[in-house]
Amino acid sequence: MSHGGAPRGRSVNPDVVRAIAGLRAGDVLSAGQAAFFDRVARRGVVSVRFEIRALLYAGVLLLTAGVGVLVAQHQDEIGPLAIATGIALAAAGSLIWVTRRAAPFSWGEAPSPSLAFDYVLLLGLLLVAADLAYVEMQFTVLGAHWAYHLLIVGVLYLLAAYRWDSRTALGLALATLAAWRGLSLSLVPAALGLGVAADLRASAIVLGALYVAAAALSAWLARKAHFEEVFANAGLLLLLGGLLSGVLDDREAWSVWLVAVLLTAGGVMAVALRLGRSLYFAVGLVAAYIALVRLLFEPFRYGQHADSIPLLLAALLGSAVLALIFWAHRRMRER
Amino acid sequence: MRPEAIAWERAAEVHAAARGWRRAGAIDEATLERIREAFPDPCVTPGAVWRVLTGGMVAAIVLCTFVAVALGLWRSSTAIQILLLLWGAACLVVTDVLEASPRSARRGAAGATSLLGVGFFLLGLGLFLVESVRLHVDDAIDLLLVAAVCACALAAWRWGSPLFAGLGGVALFCYLARLPNGRILWLLAGAALTGLWAWRLDEARLAPSHRISAAVLTVVGIGAVYAAANVYSLDEGSLEHLARLAPSPEDLPRGARLAAAVATVVLPLAVLAWGLRTRRTFVLDTGIVLLALSLVTLRQYVHVAPLWVVLILAGALLVVLALVVERALRRARSGEIAGFTADPLFSDERRQQILQVVPVVAAFTPAARAPGADPGFAGEGGRFGGGGAQEKF
């Protein structure tokens, strides 16, 4: 079959429409298959799944923002007890809706009963968290240990993620637990060397390692194995971000951190190649590249050509990394 | 675009559709293989992660070499201009070579070099106009915007990049806003752009990437018409701020404000109706965004309730609307109403579920605890943010 001279006419995807006709004529597709595929390609039926999701996301965003504004602007008029009770009732309503529709617990992947399920769960959890924060602020239930409310919220999200099989709740749980330790799930501040304190670095490394271990255990024990990617991506960002901040910030021991980054990133890339996970490979490679660029710049900190030569070397290193990317991609494809 | 590149794209379209059929279980592995054999695509097509990684690394190499050479020449503006134009030309030549080979066309490298090439060229031209020709800054900006429109249009046509089509469209409207009667030009050019490209959205003669570019230009055109017609933009003179000579508010023709108010209400509804009638989801999405903007505009003029009531009601309304739509579609015969369905059809549902984690984590994660903060209640100035709604008391 040739590709030239695609048909004229008003169809959503003329190339696919033409291909379907050819595949039907060549008996590759059955009449039923061809008719349905053709209808979809001609926009006879269109999915609005993305639009429903976007509406739900925007709805939850507006609702939580509205609750925030209400509490901030009218707490004196309404009274703390009424506010706390109101938020709790709304949270309970959302979570009861979720509980009534949820599938029974399973260690495997449970299909979501509806598109709205994840978002109503999200709304319920956010309202619970908001209520906890408000109650803590008004009534100081935790007293001197007030900072632990983020830990409580994180654990709550984690339990909800497992009970209702929600990757969204899991992502939120991991980010909240990181926030409890004063961390943001972002490589950028660390990569830019924006002064990450030593205790924060240690927290990032420990938490990152824990998340990576949880990812490995999820897959190995086949307990919510589909959570592996969420655990591992969050863990690798924290772990490699933490190590990288040592390379960029710690003037005395940067070389030790460099070795640690290279060993960890190398290990991550090797495992990623074996498992066929391109995102893990990318995170490892970028961390190793940034660390090596730091090494390249070190001998040229003072003296003539202090800027040009390391930049040229960084470009040379980039070429080697590019070759590694092509090799790894081919290797992963072959596997 | 080269004829062979168009043929590769057409084959890739068929492969993508076939992978969707396979994902949905509508065909088996053997059928997928037969489709691949019937429509051979010689291009190496890595996933998004590999393409971003490759593009990022190519960009790092090009920028490092450029800066390394530029550091030796930074005292001479002419030398920097020549260097920028040389690097730009080199990047564009490399892009054309990469695009010609099925081994490199879709790896992400060509995207990076084309973007850098156009960027270097425009920077070099800008420096040349201001420092060598000594043009007035306003004249230089005008010329640069015209050059950006031409460069982006050429790049979109040659390499089939929807990104360049969008950037070219934006540059065109920035230029028009600087002319006298910019608002009217936005209305006319926006309507013309939408009319011109909306008719070509499904044209079989166009390459698939050119059809996507047509969709991007249609959205840019609709956006321009809406921005020019919106009553708040008219009152604030948003477009006039961009003009070289800002007209005084008295220059507004009579009835313009009323027409703008009507257009602010009617335009989103018209776009929504168009999207529903043609079942084009990107038009529908544009209509939804415009409707949201019109509601925000309405709130600017009409204060029917306090902000928190508006936010909570709007949020609840959206959630209920989504629930009702999904429920209605699920309960409908064959799971569809007027050609719309809540089923994923052939899209990658697993990927979308993973991707939906990102905006949720970005928007709803509470702020990180201050480093080194001793546990202990501050008493005042605490932060209400456990639920992602971060409001300070």
Side-chain angles (χ1 to χ4, degrees):
Chain A
M1 291 172 208
S2 70
H3 313 299
R8 285 169 179 276
R10 291 182 58 76
S11 51
V12 65
N13 196 326
D15 302 309
V16 178
V17 168
R18 185 181 179 280
I20 291 168
L23 291 167
R24 176 68 198 115
D27 218 21
V28 177
L29 297 177
S30 70
Q33 285 172 326
F36 183 55
F37 298 163
D38 186 73
R39 187 160 173 249
V40 174
R42 286 181 188 276
R43 253 189 350 260
V45 58
V46 169
S47 173
V48 284
R49 218 171 163 78
F50 172 79
E51 285 69 23
I52 294 173
R53 274 207 179 103
L55 285 180
L56 288 163
Y57 176 77
V60 173
L61 197 64
L62 289 176
L63 268 169
T64 47
V67 171
V69 174
L70 164 71
V71 173
Q73 292 180 352
H74 300 279
Q75 61 162 339
D76 292 338
E77 300 153 37
I78 303 172
L81 199 63
I83 287 179
T85 311
I87 298 174
L89 283 176
S94 304
L95 293 179
I96 288 169
W97 186 93
V98 166
T99 311
R100 287 175 64 175
R101 278 161 183 77
F105 176 77
S106 150
W107 282 114
E109 188 167 3
S112 192
S114 71
L115 270 178
F117 184 83
D118 248 9
Y119 290 93
V120 179
L121 170 62
L122 177 66
L123 178 64
L125 292 175
L126 291 172
L127 289 173
V128 169
D131 208 27
L132 280 177
Y134 184 71
V135 166
E136 175 52 32
M137 216 198 68
Q138 289 295 323
F139 307 111
T140 55
V141 181
L142 294 174
H145 304 291
W146 65 274
Y148 287 99
H149 102 266
L150 276 181
L151 172 65
I152 295 169
V153 171
V155 171
L156 190 77
Y157 288 160
L158 197 64
L159 292 174
Y162 272 86
R163 169 59 190 92
W164 289 302
D165 196 41
S166 168
R167 286 188 184 92
T168 312
L170 180 65
L172 208 53
L174 301 186
T176 306
L177 289 173
W180 170 58
R181 298 307 309 152
L183 298 161
S184 161
L185 277 182
S186 165
L187 255 181
V188 178
L192 295 178
L194 295 178
V196 178
D199 58 337
L200 274 187
R201 186 181 306 136
S203 291
I205 293 168
V206 171
L207 207 57
L210 276 176
Y211 287 177
V212 171
L217 281 175
S218 297
W220 186 43
L221 300 173
R223 295 280 188 266
K224 296 284 180 198
H226 54 289
F227 281 0
E228 176 224 303
E229 282 174 275
V230 183
F231 270 124
N233 284 317
L236 288 177
L237 279 177
L238 286 173
L239 177 61
L240 289 167
L243 293 173
L244 206 50
S245 80
V247 178
L248 299 173
D249 288 341
D250 193 338
R251 294 194 176 199
E252 280 82 45
W254 70 271
S255 52
V256 179
W257 290 111
L258 175 74
V259 174
V261 169
L262 293 179
L263 286 176
T264 312
V268 168
M269 286 191 281
V271 173
L273 269 177
R274 203 160 60 83
L275 297 176
R277 299 278 197 273
S278 54
L279 194 53
Y280 303 170
F281 184 86
V283 173
L285 188 68
V286 170
Y289 178 70
I290 294 171
L292 285 172
V293 167
R294 164 75 168 90
L295 174 68
L296 288 179
F297 272 77
E298 187 58 22
F300 301 97
R301 285 178 74 179
Y302 310 103
Q304 271 196 324
H305 308 297
D307 302 309
S308 295
I309 293 176
L311 280 166
L312 287 172
L313 288 175
L316 205 63
L317 175 68
S319 307
V321 169
L322 205 57
L324 180 64
I325 292 170
F326 290 160
W327 172 81
H329 175 247
R330 198 176 59 237
R331 176 107 193 262
M332 251 187 222
R333 233 172 18 136
E334 285 167 0
R335 288 175 73 95
Chain B
M1 280 180 84
R2 290 184 177 81
E4 61 270 26
I6 297 174
W8 301 337
E9 275 195 4
R10 293 194 196 283
E13 285 281 290
V14 178
H15 283 212
R19 279 196 304 274
W21 302 337
R22 175 74 193 107
R23 205 181 298 119
I27 58 170
D28 56 19
E29 200 58 43
T31 309
L32 178 64
E33 206 45 52
R34 287 180 71 187
I35 294 171
R36 282 187 180 139
E37 284 165 12
F39 294 88
D41 176 11
C43 290
V44 178
T45 313
V49 171
W50 292 108
R51 291 203 299 274
V52 170
L53 199 57
T54 306
M57 203 44 70
V58 167
I61 294 167
V62 174
L63 288 172
C64 281
T65 43
F66 172 78
V67 176
V69 179
L71 280 172
L73 305 168
W74 68 273
R75 282 172 202 280
S76 163
S77 171
T78 311
I80 293 288
Q81 290 164 32
I82 292 170
L83 191 67
L84 278 165
L85 293 172
L86 267 178
W87 240 251
C91 282
L92 297 178
V93 169
V94 169
T95 305
D96 215 48
V97 172
L98 290 173
E99 286 281 353
S101 163
R103 289 174 59 83
S104 56
R106 289 193 209 135
R107 278 190 180 271
T113 51
S114 63
L115 209 58
L116 286 170
V118 172
F120 280 134
F121 166 71
L122 292 175
L123 261 176
L125 181 67
L127 272 180
F128 173 72
L129 292 174
V130 173
E131 300 210 346
S132 296
V133 184
R134 305 234 173 249
L135 272 186
H136 187 270
V137 174
D138 275 323
D139 294 327
I141 290 174
D142 284 350
L143 273 175
L144 206 58
L145 284 171
V146 172
V149 174
C150 296
C152 290
L154 273 173
W157 167 77
R158 179 67 179 165
W159 302 310
S161 164
L163 175 67
F164 280 116
L167 290 175
V170 170
L172 171 69
F173 284 103
C174 286
Y175 174 69
L176 292 178
R178 295 177 58 76
L179 299 177
N181 298 312
R183 189 172 291 273
I184 293 170
L185 289 174
W186 271 48
L187 282 171
L188 294 175
L193 199 69
T194 307
L196 182 71
W197 289 107
W199 288 107
R200 285 169 170 74
L201 290 171
D202 298 324
E203 194 155 309
R205 277 185 303 127
L206 292 182
S209 57
H210 283 163
R211 289 200 295 267
I212 299 172
S213 298
V216 170
L217 287 172
T218 305
V219 173
V220 170
I222 294 172
V225 171
Y226 181 80
N230 183 282
V231 67
Y232 182 75
S233 138
L234 187 74
D235 283 347
E236 293 294 306
S238 315
L239 298 186
E240 285 71 17
H241 288 315
L242 300 172
R244 289 185 69 162
L245 291 170
S248 64
E250 292 83 53
D251 292 347
L252 276 177
R254 284 178 68 188
R257 203 161 176 277
L258 180 66
V262 173
T264 307
V265 177
V266 171
L267 258 173
L269 298 177
V271 174
L272 268 179
W274 178 26
L276 287 170
R277 193 173 59 80
T278 55
R279 288 196 285 269
R280 289 185 196 283
T281 46
F282 83 87
V283 178
L284 203 59
D285 298 341
T286 309
I288 292 171
V289 171
L290 295 187
L291 190 64
L293 289 174
S294 285
L295 290 173
V296 173
T297 306
L298 181 70
R299 160 77 193 165
Q300 197 67 29
Y301 292 96
V302 185
H303 290 264
V304 285
L307 181 62
W308 68 270
V309 176
V310 173
L311 287 172
I312 289 179
L313 281 182
L317 190 72
L318 286 181
V319 172
V320 170
L321 178 69
L323 285 170
V324 168
V325 169
E326 193 199 0
R327 197 183 169 94
L329 289 172
R330 291 245 172 271
R331 292 188 169 187
R333 210 171 142 196
S334 311
E336 60 178 82
I337 298 173
F340 291 102
T341 179
D343 291 337
L345 292 177
F346 304 126
S347 63
D348 191 347
E349 187 59 12
R350 190 178 165 275
R351 190 175 173 183
Q352 287 192 12
Q353 278 178 356
I354 293 172
L355 285 179
Q356 86 179 15
V357 176
V358 178
V360 167
V361 171
F364 297 114
T365 303
R369 190 169 59 93
D374 290 328
F377 189 64
E380 51 189 318
R383 202 175 166 96
F384 174 77
Q390 294 164 1
E391 280 295 334
K392 279 188 177 176
F393 287 101

